[in-house]
């Protein structure tokens, strides 16, 4: 059996192509941690799908380039006429500025054909082109790893084509706060598409949290510790800080050629302390702020003038874009001013190079640097910081690192963290770094060196792939348990054979008329038992071999009104209150439960109810539910999203509660108040009340439950119950079987009503099907 296949999809390929003849091409390896990380995944047969970086319009050129790159494991995506509005337009002119907190740019002013809409259309077309290429090369079992903001629509295209496809997506830039992201016109489409992936990865916890917040605020869906939950489907969100190839830098720094460079540079710099900056010439890198801070340092530290220099390597990017020419001109102006103020005939204070330098020279500079100054205004990670740490062996230079770089969460413990906008703070940090004791420099370097050495690009890629494989493997196991249509014949046959049956029913959506037929009365839902169930349910409850439980989030009075005359057990408010219809209600609220949050939540619910026509809310002793199914659908969703923000920011910010987003509702209840968690308490009372002497050998559990209540389905799973023997409940010991529940697989039927994703084994479409089933369990002649 061969290695598993990995299809890597990114805007750029790991090689850069240059045409050198009509039928010939030359190639250079692209720099960057992503390339080295993915080339290091030796356990996979990797194909890399991406754009070659050049427009190729002739058939001969396309053919020869495709053949040449296929030998390198690369598959070409030709974007042609959509490339400009897609790449330079939507990706770099709209997404990139928003993701880096630069705001939503204005529409193009000089060309009416270039608009947000036209650029987004190009983005969709480009993602469709990527999809077509992936589809052409995909084989069953392949893993597809999508990279960065250029292909945010791709996960959804892939999953719509094949829902079993293993898909991961990783963002290499920051993900902005929800308030910034909300300005994006196509915000919902992109979020929904990314959520189609099995695993979504980010560099830092901040970026992951911002993404989850955006999903909650914009889509109104739930974020949990696992990830983002949408109608039962969980998209896992995780953090994977990328690293470098540390051995490459460590080994290069030891080469004789590099050591010679080190000696040469030291002589060239005349023994002055070296502050180094290595950045793309980019608006987010904060180079002007760096110069202003250095100028401030020289102003306030006359003794250091002539003894320290700043060498800035500013690698050119996007030279054709006006904003980058502006930043270049600004940098040159600052350098001239500072050198004019503080330089001398023999030495300038700043050397600014508008170019990249050869790798061995870069490692030599890293190795002799006293202070690496990183002042990024926003950065996904900033691997320059790690490269510097890896090359430092003798000097133990100090890292000054912007708190707005992703690396701040990885290397902050061994660095001086600064706010690059605070010129005074950065200036002070430069002084602290230059005057730091050798012992403190050694201590900080050791912390960061250990991190850099152990968190390599290889480790990053391995961690992501292992997590993705784990998630998709679990999903495949769950898919094997996708609910099937309920086998009514088996339900009835096993029912007739059993001696001690337990039937657990939800109320709303299961024993009521179908939800679309429900009518609202006053402030709440007029919940009534399905009229065709009344007589048959009464007969079912009269069978001495059968125990019936109605387990609902409804209040006590609603259950009393509908079921008071039946011989059954009623569990109100998700089991917080319990009674047999022949007895009194008993409180099952656990001790020390803090309910101080209820009044605050009630105020929020009241506020939104007054402003959302058709909505209402219901309160009970340990939970509140706001329902907007009779409101305008879109307005109700928008109000629910705003409500969630108000709740988390205010009354439940520190409360021990769960918030459950239903199809058209928001519920807040005390932690642990779920139907599954209540079932053990309920079962204990039933067992002791009935003086049960034979184990329960048949369970039918039917409901239209919220996601967090679906644990009731797994409570009775035969392999999970492990023959339940000890159940709390009752006031005095009675003769109780040593085994309370003893189920075989064929004797347990868990049934979800109209659910797409569920833990139940089976499904029914509506409560009308429940009526038919109960009629068959209890034929008329037995009633």
């Amino acid at each position: 059996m061969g290695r598993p296949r990995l299809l890597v999809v990114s805007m750029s390929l790991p090689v850069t192509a240059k045409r050198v003849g009509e039928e010939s091409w030359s190639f250079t390896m692209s720099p960057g941690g992503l390339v080295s990380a993915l080339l290091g995944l030796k356990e996979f047969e990797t194909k890399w799908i991406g754009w070659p970086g050049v427009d190729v319009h002739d058939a001969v050129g396309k053919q020869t380039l495709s053949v040449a790159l296929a030998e390198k494991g690369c598959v070409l995506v030709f974007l042609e006429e959509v490339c400009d509005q897609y790449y330079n337009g939507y990706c770099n002119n709209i997404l990139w500025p928003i993701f880096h907190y630069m705001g939503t740019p204005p529409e193009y002013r000089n060309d009416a054909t270039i608009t947000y809409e036209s650029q987004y259309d190009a983005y969709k077309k480009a993602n469709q082109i990527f999809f077509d290429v992936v589809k052409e090369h995909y084989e069953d079992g392949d893993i597809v790893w999508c990279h960065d903001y250029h292909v945010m629509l791709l996960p959804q295209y892939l999953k719509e084509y094949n829902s079993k496809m293993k898909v991961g997506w990783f963002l290499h830039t920051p993900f902005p706060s929800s308030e910034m992201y909300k300005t994006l016109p196509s915000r919902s489409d992109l979020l929904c598409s990314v959520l189609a992936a099995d695993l979504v990865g980010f560099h830092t916890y901040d970026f992951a949290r911002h993404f989850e917040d955006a999903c909650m605020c914009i889509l109104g869906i739930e974020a949990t510790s696992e990830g983002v939950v949408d109608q039962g489907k969980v998209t896992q969100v995780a953090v994977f800080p990328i690293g470098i190839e540390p051995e490459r830098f460590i080994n290069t720094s030891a080469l004789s050629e590099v050591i010679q460079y080190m000696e040469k540079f030291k002589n060239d710099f005349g023994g002055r302390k070296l502050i180094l900056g290595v950045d793309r010439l980019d608006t987010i890198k904060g180079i002007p702020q760096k110069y202003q801070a250095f100028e401030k340092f020289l102003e306030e530290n006359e003794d250091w003038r002539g003894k320290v220099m700043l060498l800035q390597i500013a690698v050119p990017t996007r030279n054709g874009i006006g904003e980058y020419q502006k930043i270049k001109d600004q940098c040159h102006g600052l350098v001239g001013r500072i050198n004019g103020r503080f330089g001398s005939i023999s030495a300038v204070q700043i050397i600014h190079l508008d170019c990249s330098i050869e790798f061995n020279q870069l490692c030599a500079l890293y190795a002799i640097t006293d202070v690496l100054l990183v002042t990024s205004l926003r950065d996904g990670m900033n691997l320059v910081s790690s490269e510097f740490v890896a090359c430092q062996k003798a000097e133990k230079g100090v890292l000054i690192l912007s708190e707005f770089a992703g690396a701040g969460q990885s290397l902050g413990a061994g660095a001086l963290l600064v706010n690059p906008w605070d010129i005074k703070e950065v200036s002070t940090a430069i002084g602290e770094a230059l005057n730091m004791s050798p012992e403190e420099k050694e201590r900080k370097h050791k912390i960061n060196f250990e991190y850099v050495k152990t968190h390599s690009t290889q480790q990053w890629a391995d961690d992501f792939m292992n997590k993705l494989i784990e998630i998709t493997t679990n999903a495949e196991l769950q898919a094997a348990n996708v609910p099937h249509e309920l086998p009514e014949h088996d339900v009835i046959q096993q029912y007739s054979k059993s001696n001690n049956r337990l039937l657990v029913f939800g109320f709303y959506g299961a024993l009521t008329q179908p939800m679309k037929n429900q009518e609202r009365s006053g402030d709440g839902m007029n919940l009534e038992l399905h009229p065709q169930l009344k007589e048959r349910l009464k007969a079912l409850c009269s069978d001495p071999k059968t125990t019936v439980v109605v387990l609902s989030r409804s209040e006590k009075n609603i259950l009393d009104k509908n079921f008071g005359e039946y011989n059954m057990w009623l569990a109100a408010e998700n089991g917080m209150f319990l009674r047999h219809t022949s007895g009194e209600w008993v409180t099952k609220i656990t001790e020390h439960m803090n309910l101080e949050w209820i009044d605050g939540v009630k105020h929020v619910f009241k506020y939104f109810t007054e402003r959302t026509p058709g909505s209402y809310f219901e309160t009970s002793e340990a939970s509140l539910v706001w329902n907007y199914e009779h409101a305008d659908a879109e307005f109700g969703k928008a109000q629910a999203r705003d409500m969630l923000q108000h709740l988390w920011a205010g009354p439940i910010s520190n409360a021990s509660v769960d918030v459950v987003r239903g199809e058209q509702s928001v519920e807040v209840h005390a932690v642990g108040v779920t139907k599954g968690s209540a079932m053990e308490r309920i079962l204990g009372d039933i067992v002791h009340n009935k003086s049960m002497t034979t184990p329960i050998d048949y369970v039918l559990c039917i409901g239209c439950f919220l996601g967090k209540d679906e644990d009731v389905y797994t409570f009775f799973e035969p392999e999970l119950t492990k023959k339940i023997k000890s159940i709390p409940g009752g006031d005095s010991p009675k003769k109780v079987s040593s085994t309370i529940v003893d189920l075989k697989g064929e004797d347990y039927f868990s049934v979800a009503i109209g659910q797409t994703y569920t833990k139940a084994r089976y499904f029914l479409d509506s409560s009308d099907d429940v009526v038919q089933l109960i009629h068959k369990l209890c034929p008329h002649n037995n009633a």
Side-chain angles (χ1 to χ4, degrees):
M1 184 176 177
R3 293 178 296 167
R5 291 192 357 141
L6 171 64
L7 303 183
V8 175
V9 187
S10 69
M11 178 63 192
S12 303
L13 291 170
V15 294
T16 301
K18 183 179 179 182
R19 197 163 191 170
V20 293
E22 185 179 355
E23 298 185 15
S24 57
W25 298 82
S26 66
F27 302 100
T28 55
M29 184 62 68
S30 302
L34 177 61
V35 173
S36 58
L38 299 181
L39 293 179
L41 287 172
K42 304 298 184 187
E43 66 270 30
F44 291 93
E45 178 190 341
T46 303
K47 282 187 177 294
W48 199 309
I49 297 171
W51 181 56
V54 292
D55 289 325
V56 186
H57 299 287
D58 61 298
V60 172
K62 289 181 179 179
Q63 174 65 21
T64 55
L65 182 57
S66 297
V67 170
L69 283 176
E71 296 174 0
K72 301 179 181 295
C74 296
V75 178
L76 290 183
V77 175
F78 293 108
L79 298 172
E80 297 179 335
E81 70 276 359
V82 303
C83 187
D84 184 55
Q85 288 217 43
Y86 158 64
Y87 182 61
N88 293 323
Y90 197 78
C91 290
N92 290 334
N93 186 57
I94 296 176
L95 288 181
W96 193 90
I98 290 176
F99 280 24
H100 289 85
Y101 291 80
M102 296 168 65
T104 309
E107 297 257 18
Y108 279 89
R109 291 170 293 278
N110 300 325
D111 190 341
T113 64
I114 302 177
T115 63
Y116 281 147
E117 186 176 359
S118 69
Q119 291 174 88
Y120 186 52
D121 286 343
Y123 186 82
K124 288 189 286 187
K125 288 177 185 174
N127 274 253
Q128 184 68 46
I129 293 170
F130 275 101
F131 163 70
D132 291 338
V133 176
V134 174
K135 184 173 68 172
E136 181 183 346
H137 292 269
Y138 176 79
E139 298 175 5
D140 284 345
D142 287 357
I143 297 172
V144 184
W145 191 358
C146 309
H147 287 271
D148 236 349
Y149 56 93
H150 309 91
V151 288
M152 291 180 75
L153 293 176
L154 186 57
Q156 185 169 352
Y157 294 163
L158 295 172
K159 284 291 191 176
E160 287 174 351
Y161 168 68
N162 183 346
S163 62
K164 296 181 180 178
M165 192 180 293
K166 304 177 179 75
V167 179
W169 181 79
F170 191 89
L171 182 65
H172 292 269
T173 70
F175 193 92
S177 70
S178 58
E179 287 303 305
M180 176 62 71
Y181 181 79
K182 279 164 70 173
T183 65
L184 183 64
S186 49
R187 59 194 191 180
S188 298
D189 292 347
L190 297 183
L191 286 180
C192 288
S193 180
V194 168
L195 288 176
D198 300 292
L199 174 62
V200 175
F202 299 93
H203 283 309
T204 74
Y205 281 103
D206 283 349
F207 304 159
R209 177 171 52 81
H210 290 161
F211 175 78
E212 291 177 343
D213 287 347
C215 290
M216 186 172 70
C217 298
I218 295 168
L219 303 179
I221 55 182
E222 182 185 2
T224 70
S225 57
E226 289 183 324
V228 179
V229 184
D230 185 10
Q231 297 183 341
K233 179 191 179 297
V234 179
T235 301
Q236 294 225 7
V237 178
V239 175
F240 305 92
I242 197 170
I244 62 169
E245 287 182 277
E247 297 303 326
R248 180 182 179 219
F249 288 88
I250 294 169
N251 294 338
T252 301
S253 299
L255 295 176
S256 58
E257 180 186 352
V258 174
I259 293 171
Q260 289 175 9
Y261 276 130
M262 290 163 60
E263 293 303 318
K264 177 183 184 304
F265 292 150
K266 285 181 180 179
N267 288 332
D268 290 345
F269 300 152
R272 289 181 292 170
K273 293 284 187 180
L274 175 61
I275 301 174
L276 180 65
V278 180
D279 305 276
R280 294 196 320 274
L281 184 60
D282 204 323
T283 51
I284 66 163
K285 293 298 183 178
I287 299 176
Q289 285 79 1
K290 183 184 304 188
Y291 288 158
Q292 290 165 1
F294 186 56
E295 182 177 30
K296 181 76 171 174
F297 172 75
L298 293 175
E299 284 176 358
E300 297 182 349
N301 295 273
E302 188 175 346
D303 291 346
W304 276 104
R305 297 174 192 171
K307 297 178 183 177
V308 63
M309 62 174 291
L310 170 57
L311 170 59
Q312 176 65 51
I313 298 167
V315 181
T317 57
R318 308 176 190 176
N319 285 326
I321 298 177
E323 289 299 316
Y324 291 86
Q325 187 59 49
K326 284 182 186 176
I327 199 78
K328 183 176 181 179
D329 292 343
Q330 184 183 6
C331 289
H332 289 179
L334 284 167
V335 170
R337 186 179 81 196
I338 296 167
N339 282 336
R341 288 185 66 190
F342 301 110
S344 65
I345 294 174
S346 57
V348 293
Q349 294 295 313
I350 300 177
I351 298 175
H352 177 103
L353 302 178
D354 285 317
C355 63
S356 58
I357 65 171
E358 185 262 331
F359 182 70
N360 284 4
Q361 292 184 355
L362 179 62
C363 288
L365 283 174
Y366 281 146
I368 65 169
T369 290
D370 297 283
V371 179
L372 183 78
L373 188 52
V374 178
T375 54
S376 304
L377 307 181
R378 285 292 162 187
D379 232 344
M381 181 52 67
N382 193 290
L383 294 177
V384 165
S385 309
S386 296
E387 294 171 359
F388 162 72
V389 170
C391 291
Q392 284 276 314
K393 185 176 181 181
E395 296 295 333
K396 307 297 188 295
V398 180
L399 173 61
I400 299 178
L401 181 56
S402 166
E403 64 186 61
F404 297 113
Q409 288 190 7
S410 303
L411 301 176
L416 299 178
L417 287 178
V418 294
N419 173 5
W421 297 100
D422 189 338
I423 302 303
K424 174 66 175 174
E425 182 181 340
V426 179
S427 169
T428 301
I430 292 172
E432 184 180 345
L434 291 172
N435 291 300
M436 188 176 291
S437 69
E439 294 78 18
E440 181 65 7
K441 289 197 289 186
E442 177 78 35
R443 186 186 71 82
K444 286 183 176 294
H445 171 75
K446 186 176 181 181
I447 292 170
N448 279 346
F449 187 77
E450 285 303 313
Y451 180 88
V452 169
K453 195 166 184 182
T454 54
H455 293 77
S456 63
T457 49
Q458 182 68 56
Q459 187 64 49
W460 167 79
D462 286 343
D463 288 347
F464 188 94
M465 294 308 301
N466 290 338
K467 185 69 174 177
L468 179 57
I469 291 169
E470 174 192 328
I471 291 167
T472 52
T473 300
N474 290 339
E476 287 172 354
L477 293 174
Q478 291 174 2
N481 299 319
V482 165
H484 303 286
E485 191 169 353
L486 184 66
E488 285 190 351
H489 177 269
D490 294 343
V491 174
I492 297 163
Q493 184 179 55
Q494 296 307 115
Y495 178 89
S496 63
K497 289 181 181 178
S498 56
N499 295 307
N500 191 1
R501 312 158 185 141
L502 177 64
L503 309 185
V504 181
F505 295 108
F507 182 30
Y508 178 55
L511 299 181
T512 61
Q513 291 192 56
M515 288 177 276
K516 65 179 181 297
N517 297 334
Q518 290 293 307
E519 292 184 0
R520 185 168 52 87
S521 173
D523 290 330
M525 183 69 70
N526 184 21
L527 291 176
E528 291 186 351
L529 182 65
H530 199 300
Q532 296 177 30
L533 274 177
K534 292 182 178 179
E535 292 304 317
R536 301 300 173 89
L537 186 60
K538 187 175 290 186
L540 203 63
C541 294
S542 300
D543 188 333
K545 291 184 178 181
T546 303
T547 302
V548 178
V549 177
V550 173
L551 178 54
S552 173
R553 73 180 187 183
S554 297
E555 297 178 62
K556 294 174 287 189
N557 65 319
I558 293 177
L559 297 188
D560 281 336
K561 174 184 172 184
N562 283 278
F563 302 103
E565 61 187 77
Y566 296 86
N567 178 28
M568 63 166 58
W569 288 83
L570 302 176
E573 298 186 29
N574 283 339
M576 298 294 285
F577 301 92
L578 180 68
R579 86 172 180 104
H580 189 271
T581 46
S582 62
E584 299 296 323
W585 284 103
V586 177
T587 301
K588 291 293 178 181
I589 295 178
T590 55
E591 286 188 59
H592 312 300
M593 181 175 287
N594 187 336
L595 300 177
E596 294 178 357
W597 50 269
I598 283 185
D599 285 342
V601 173
K602 194 179 295 184
H603 285 305
V604 174
F605 278 14
K606 184 174 183 292
Y607 174 91
F608 280 92
T609 300
E610 291 173 352
R611 287 154 182 79
T612 311
S615 70
Y616 62 92
F617 71 94
E618 299 170 306
T619 64
S620 57
E621 294 189 41
S623 65
L624 296 94
V625 181
W626 184 70
N627 192 299
Y628 60 92
E629 64 185 321
H630 296 290
D632 176 81
E634 289 305 313
F635 185 62
K637 286 181 183 178
Q639 291 289 77
R641 292 195 295 265
D642 287 347
M643 173 186 282
L644 288 170
Q645 287 184 282
H646 280 275
L647 289 172
W648 286 117
I652 65 171
S653 57
N654 296 308
S656 184
V657 299
D658 284 327
V659 179
V660 183
R661 180 72 191 271
E663 186 67 28
Q664 292 174 306
S665 65
V666 176
E667 178 178 358
V668 182
H669 60 226
V671 165
V673 182
T674 66
K675 292 178 171 63
S677 65
M679 201 63 230
E680 188 172 355
R681 299 192 299 271
I682 296 167
L683 192 57
D685 277 31
I686 292 171
V687 167
H688 286 275
N689 182 276
K690 296 188 72 169
S691 300
M692 196 176 288
T693 57
T694 58
I696 294 169
D697 59 355
Y698 176 96
V699 174
L700 172 64
C701 181
I702 301 179
C704 179
F705 299 138
L706 295 171
K708 287 185 178 178
D709 290 326
E710 287 208 339
D711 54 353
V712 73
Y713 294 137
T714 56
F715 179 84
F716 287 107
E717 280 289 350
E719 66 272 19
L720 298 178
T721 58
K722 297 187 170 87
K723 300 188 186 304
I724 298 171
K725 294 183 179 180
S726 177
I727 294 289
D731 298 324
S732 59
K734 298 182 179 180
K735 186 178 180 183
V736 180
S737 167
S738 61
T739 300
I740 304 304
V741 181
D742 190 5
L743 286 176
K744 298 182 177 65
E746 62 269 22
D747 297 319
Y748 177 54
F749 301 91
S750 55
V751 189
I753 309 295
Q755 298 290 88
T756 307
Y757 297 93
T758 177
K759 295 177 182 176
R761 293 181 171 192
Y762 306 103
F763 72 89
L764 289 173
D765 289 331
S766 77
S767 58
D768 286 339
D769 298 318
V770 180
V771 171
Q772 294 179 25
L773 177 65
I774 291 178
H775 277 230
K776 291 173 183 176
L777 283 177
C778 188
H780 186 68
N781 57 8
N782 291 340

